[in-house]
């Protein structure tokens, strides 16, 4: 049921600017999620303000996206890129700016949806100062992340405490997969309310290009066996496993095998360092002739890469959801993914792709080969993937489910909130 009275709502993503160039160091699924959910909710009639921090002096403070949707950038520390692990100390300024913005506009948001733990803290602090409903999407859990790395940042204990307080106190946590929900229950807290609403993808952007046309556009020959990776350069993405798997492929040495590793990087930054590390493994394994690094794949070109590929590989050590898998599936390209997290939810083994143990290069090689050696089966998997995405993972369906949840929570709490907060006209 759609809301009869359309409220102003705030999507808060302090560290993930919805308009950021995706595919670089810290800009990935969270930025895409906030932007697409924001647009889709506005299409369903909500007045959506997406709040983020200003990370460069050139950025406009307010950007209007259609009549009902805008991005608002608030001051939170110096107007420059600040890594997530160093942002916490600047959050009080973000809160003060948010309050000043509300005051200037003459209303308070009755409902906020926060993203990532930094924004959850902002939301919980705001909730102490004004009546509001808070929903939260984690995008990544500290407990899961820190169990897999050795260089644990100083902020880790704060993050873990905030994530626990958030789960136990906000009005609703939105998990993007049943696996993420299970992790929260097992590793964060048994208290609190969780609802599973997946991430989505743009079904009109992906899946409309034929493999042959995409290859012509990209200059890739029809007989090439193309293996695609799309994503950030980050150790946890497991790109090393993919490269080692390609070295073990039975098709190795065939002139037409091609590995394309797409994603942005900046020399000297953590993504640039990881890109160099991967490139040196590629060289060490003698795969330079069949590997390309096209850099960040922008919006215009990304659908062509997905469509051109024979298989898209998502070798992450962990993914709460993993947008790349559903983007590839929407593009009718089968997915070989690690058997972890949200990938267990999106990829149906033997139906839309294959799941294999993470970090297991032998298993990845075997799974990739099975698909590359059987083009008819590849096409069947691709078709089933597209159907699955159309049914379960369009942004429209995600926004409809969020609309139902927001409406339900507003109806439940409205008498107390409406007396204090003003509803948008
Ligand atoms: N992406 C992109 N261009 C690139 C690399 C990645 O647009 O060169 C996008 C990709 O299409 C996806 C997002 O970045 O929408 C990554 O989201 P995912 O959930 O897979 O991973 P995260 O970055 O959140 O860990």
């Amino acid at each position: 049921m759609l809301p009869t009275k359309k409220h102003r709502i705030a999507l808060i993503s302090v560290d993930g600017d919805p308009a950021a160039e995706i595919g670089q160091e810290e800009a990935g699924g969270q930025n895409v999620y906030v932007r697409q959910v924001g647009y889709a909710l506005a299409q369903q009639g909500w007045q959506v303000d997406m709040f983020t921090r200003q990370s460069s002096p050139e950025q406009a403070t307010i950007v209007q996206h259609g009549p009902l949707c805008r991005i608002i950038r608030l001051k939170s520390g110096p107007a420059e890129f600040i890594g997530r692990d160093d942002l916490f100390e600047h959050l009080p300024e973000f809160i003060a700016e948010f309050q000043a913005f509300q005051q200037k506009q003459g209303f308070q948001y009755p409902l906020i949806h926060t993203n990532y733990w930094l924004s959850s803290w902002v939301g919980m602090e705001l909730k102490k100062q004004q009546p509001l409903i808070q929903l939260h999407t984690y995008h990544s859990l500290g407990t899961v992340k820190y169990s897999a790395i050795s260089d644990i940042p100083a902020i880790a204990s704060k993050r873990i405490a905030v994530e626990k307080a958030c789960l136990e106190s906000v009005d609703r946590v939105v998990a993007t997969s049943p696996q993420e929900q299970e992790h929260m229950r097992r590793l964060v807290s048994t208290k609190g309310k969780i609802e599973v609403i997946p991430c989505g993808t743009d079904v009109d952007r992906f899946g409309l290009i034929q493999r042959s046309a995409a290859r012509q556009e990209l200059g890739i020959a029809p007989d090439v066996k193309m293996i695609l990776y799309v994503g950030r350069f980050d150790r946890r993405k497991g790109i090393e496993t993919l490269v080692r798997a390609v070295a073990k492929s039975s098709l190795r040495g065939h002139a037409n095998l091609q590995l394309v590793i797409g994603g942005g990087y900046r020399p000297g930054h953590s993504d640039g360092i990881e890109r160099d590390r991967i490139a040196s493994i590629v060289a060490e394994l003698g795969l330079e002739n069949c590997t390309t690094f096209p850099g960040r794949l922008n919006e215009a070109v990304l659908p062509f890469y997905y469509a051109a590929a024979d298989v898209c590989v998502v070798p992450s050590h962990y993914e709460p959801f993993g947008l790349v898998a559903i983007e590839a599936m929407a593009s009718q390209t089968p997915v070989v993914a690690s058997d972890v997290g949200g990938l267990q939810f999106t990829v149906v083994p033997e139906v839309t792709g294959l799941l294999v143990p993470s970090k297991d290069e032998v298993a990845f090689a075997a799974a990739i080969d099975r698909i590359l050696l059987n083009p008819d089966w590849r096409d069947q998997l691709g078709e089933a993937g597209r159907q699955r995405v159309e049914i379960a993972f369009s942004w429209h369906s995600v926004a409809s489910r969020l609309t139902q949840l927001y409406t339900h929570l507003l109806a439940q709490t409205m008498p107390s909130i409406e007396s204090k907060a003003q509803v948008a006209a």
Side-chain angles (χ1 to χ4, degrees):
M1 194 182 64
L2 289 175
T4 45
K5 215 174 189 180
K6 302 299 161 59
H7 294 277
R8 272 184 201 282
I9 53 173
L11 303 185
I12 302 183
S13 176
V14 180
D15 62 300
D17 188 323
E21 289 197 338
I22 310 300
Q24 307 248 88
E25 193 162 30
E26 288 195 348
Q30 179 184 337
N31 309 62
V32 174
Y33 177 90
V34 177
R35 178 169 71 209
Q36 297 298 341
V37 159
Y39 291 175
L41 286 169
Q43 275 173 4
Q44 301 195 0
W46 299 91
Q47 298 204 19
V48 183
D49 286 341
M50 302 185 270
F51 287 88
T52 189
R53 69 177 286 277
Q54 180 134 29
S55 62
S56 125
E58 287 85 49
Q59 284 172 328
T61 335
I62 300 187
V63 185
Q64 193 80 39
H65 291 276
L68 292 178
C69 187
R70 47 188 186 166
I71 295 178
I72 297 156
R73 298 195 176 94
L74 303 179
K75 206 166 163 299
S76 179
E80 60 190 36
F81 173 79
I82 301 178
R84 284 172 181 148
D85 290 343
D86 301 315
L87 264 182
F88 188 75
E89 61 178 292
H90 301 296
L91 297 183
E93 188 180 6
F94 188 95
I95 293 169
E97 290 268 311
F98 186 90
Q99 294 290 29
F101 182 84
Q102 286 191 125
Q103 204 158 17
K104 211 163 127 206
Q105 303 281 315
F107 60 78
Q108 290 184 333
Y109 294 89
L111 183 146
I112 62 171
H113 187 154
T114 53
N115 294 272
Y116 196 60
W117 77 273
L118 293 163
S119 304
S120 79
W121 187 80
V122 166
M124 288 188 287
E125 290 299 306
L126 284 169
K127 209 174 157 114
K128 290 179 192 161
Q129 299 169 24
Q130 69 185 63
L132 57 78
I133 293 162
Q134 182 181 2
L135 295 95
H136 181 69
T137 303
Y138 282 101
H139 298 281
S140 139
L141 286 173
T143 42
V144 175
K145 180 173 169 181
Y146 301 136
S147 66
I149 57 171
S150 49
D151 53 335
I152 296 186
I155 198 73
S157 55
K158 180 86 203 165
R159 173 175 176 179
I160 286 170
V162 169
E163 287 184 342
K164 183 166 188 286
C166 171
L167 177 51
E168 293 181 349
S169 71
V170 301
D171 296 280
R172 202 60 51 98
V173 163
V174 176
T176 53
S177 65
Q179 289 73 13
E180 192 192 12
Q181 176 180 33
E182 194 271 324
H183 268 111
M184 288 173 196
R185 282 289 176 243
R186 195 155 45 83
L187 302 169
V188 182
S189 177
T190 51
K191 297 191 197 120
K193 294 181 190 145
I194 303 175
E195 178 138 343
V196 179
I197 300 180
C199 290
T201 194
D202 189 341
V203 289
D204 299 326
R205 192 173 146 225
F206 299 111
L208 307 181
I209 309 161
Q210 293 299 316
R211 183 169 285 109
S212 54
R215 287 188 171 204
Q216 209 166 9
E217 176 74 21
L218 298 175
I220 297 171
D223 64 343
V224 160
K225 301 279 187 199
M226 176 179 164
I227 305 165
L228 177 68
Y229 167 85
V230 176
R232 291 176 297 115
F233 279 96
D234 183 317
R235 265 191 190 230
R236 288 182 301 277
K237 289 287 178 185
I239 310 171
E240 176 174 351
T241 306
L242 168 60
V243 172
R244 295 195 182 280
V246 171
K248 289 197 155 49
S249 163
S250 62
L251 290 159
R252 180 181 182 173
H254 287 232
N256 61 359
L257 186 69
Q258 202 174 328
L259 169 62
V260 178
I261 302 178
Y265 49 85
R266 294 172 302 164
H269 287 249
S270 67
D271 48 8
I273 293 165
E274 175 65 359
R275 190 261 181 211
D276 291 347
R277 195 181 74 83
I278 296 296
S280 68
I281 298 171
V282 166
E284 181 193 303
L285 297 171
L287 294 172
E288 275 163 314
N289 288 341
C290 69
T291 306
T292 54
F293 292 90
R296 185 176 91 83
L297 302 175
N298 65 29
E299 272 194 35
V301 83
L302 187 60
F304 287 92
Y305 276 88
Y306 281 129
D310 290 289
V311 60
C312 179
V313 182
V314 187
S316 313
H317 302 168
Y318 179 71
E319 283 292 346
F321 186 79
L323 281 174
V324 165
I326 58 167
E327 289 168 1
M329 281 158 55
S331 310
Q332 304 195 41
T333 297
V335 176
V336 170
S338 298
D339 192 7
V340 296
L343 298 167
Q344 296 171 325
F345 171 51
T346 50
V347 179
V348 184
E350 309 288 335
V351 177
T352 72
L354 293 167
L355 290 174
V356 294
S358 68
K359 303 183 191 164
D360 185 340
E361 60 219 44
V362 175
F364 268 95
I368 292 167
D369 282 356
R370 271 184 73 194
I371 293 173
L372 291 185
L373 291 168
N374 191 344
D376 289 339
W377 190 47
R378 172 202 67 193
D379 292 346
Q380 279 168 26
L381 295 170
E383 214 172 291
R386 170 75 197 180
Q387 275 173 19
R388 174 151 175 75
V389 172
E390 278 178 11
I391 293 165
F393 304 119
S394 75
W395 284 122
H396 179 78
S397 69
V398 172
S400 298
R401 291 184 57 187
L402 287 171
T403 286
Q404 277 177 14
L405 180 58
Y406 293 174
T407 309
H408 168 73
L409 291 172
L410 282 164
Q412 255 186 356
T413 353
M414 223 45 211
S416 62
I417 284 202
E418 227 163 17
S419 59
K420 297 183 188 132
Q422 197 185 317
V423 175

